[in-house]
Amino acid sequence: MAVDYTVIVLYLAGMLAMGWWGMRRAKSKSEFLVAGRRLGPAMYSGTMAAIVLGGASTIGGVGLGYKYGLSGAWMVFTIGLGILALSVFFSARIARLKVYTVSEMLDLRYGGKAGIISGVVMWAYTLMLAVTSTIAYATIFDVLFDLNRTVAIVIGGAIVVAYSTLGGMWSITLTDMVQFVVKTIGVLLLLLPIAVVKAGGFGAMRAKLPTSYFDPLGIGGETIFTYVLIYTFGMLIGQDIWQRVFTARSDRVARHGGTVAGTYCLVYALAGAVIGTAAKVLYPHLGSADDAFATIVKDELPVGVRGLVLAAALAAVMSTSSGALIACATVANNDIWSRLRGAVRRGGEARGDGHGEAHDEVRGNRAFILIMGVGVIGTAIALNNVVEALTVAYNLLVGGLLVPILGGLLWKRGTAPGALASVIVGGLAVIGLMAGFGILANEPVYYGLLSSLVAYVAVSLATRPTDESVLAVWRERLAGRTPEPASEPVPAHP
């Protein structure tokens, strides 16, 4: 294993080095949070694909292939469909808004009255996404170094927190690009063909497995529908995804680069299902389907290649983890803490006690990444059920925020009271239905989304239309005619 260890250690050291390099570039809020909105098509496509294809898509995708065959690709496939829909229909408009968070978009569209509650919901989603990604380190480091769960989470989480805190989105962009390349080589070009050959080829796989393993809809129509609701729609509105759209240097990059990333996700989905199907032939009696990835890597790959493929799995987890972490910190600082601090500052200025002084925006965002990162690591250590945590996150996101966000983009008659009612009713409905039907049931997201839609339409029609001056500013931003507000650079000698 010495060669495999060397590959992994060099990879991790490279991540930290890129964090240090990114720190030298992140000199303003825009540079730190959205890479200066300067990414071209190649880097944009690679980093967008990297953030959405995490541990669940890699380890979980192979596990679904092991359990259901080719139809196990549907979970990751619906993620790809979401990225394609976002890129084709919404990304250009989102990029032109020149905002940093989803809640800022809601404030712009509705007149500054829906952001704080939506910020809390989005923060909860990004926190759980970061936690579940961080827990996945335990599986990979256990295969690599036989480490216990807590130590594995601390090591993996600490590396991600370190490079994310140092350079913000620039560091994350650079590391994600490397992670994209490593995943492509490790999973698509190495593990996929080796797994198929080891299983005897597609003919042998068909002969040894039930026909249901090769049925495109074998996983079940209701399951596929639920995946579309949770993952396809989740990709349309998640802060972690939008924050990547904000990094594009133009509308064209956001649209075409995202389309390439979405197409790559579709290919990755099929690859994971095929690898899982091959693992079922090789190891028909594994205790858990999620063990399929680690087992086939450990037992079937040659030295060196095994290290690279494990690095690919680590890359998948790190890319999602770092993207979710900076999204969580951005929402916590810009949508929640900044509003509270603004209220205190206004009160201080009214009393003349000096609370209105300027602050270093980059330093503040860097501090929030560090604080959120420590919280994520601690929560990951304490939490056991990853699937339930991720389900809660996506149910709240889709049930509470999908309607007011898409409604704001598509329906002029939507109002601030309607958006607020939609978030509250949808969020409470999801929570109540999860308590009644169970966290993993399909009903919470179905009926939560429906109740959110009804509340949005009914309250919007029952209240006064959004002020025309608010809509005029919104249209100017959508058209890209409003420059981004200047942000304070990092002092040269703090």
Side-chain angles (χ1 to χ4, degrees), residues 236-249:
L236 295 180
I237 58 174
Q239 170 68 26
D240 52 326
I241 309 302
W242 277 41
Q243 202 156 342
R244 293 311 171 96
V245 175
F246 301 152
T247 65
R249 73 182 178 205

Side-chain angles (χ1 to χ4, degrees), residues 45-54 176-177 179-180 183 315-316 319-320:
S45 298
T47 57
M48 179 63 85
I51 188 177
V52 298
L53 296 175
D176 277 1
M177 198 63 202
Q179 289 157 358
F180 170 75
K183 278 191 287 193
S319 56
T320 299

Side-chain angles (χ1 to χ4, degrees), residues 357-377:
E357 68 273 7
H359 66 286
D360 182 344
E361 291 181 308
V362 173
R363 184 178 298 173
N365 282 291
R366 183 173 281 138
F368 265 86
I369 291 180
L370 180 60
I371 293 167
M372 292 296 109
V374 172
V376 163
I377 292 171

Side-chain angles (χ1 to χ4, degrees), residues 66 283 285-291:
Y66 182 89
Y283 312 100
H285 304 298
L286 289 178
S288 169
D290 285 340
D291 293 337

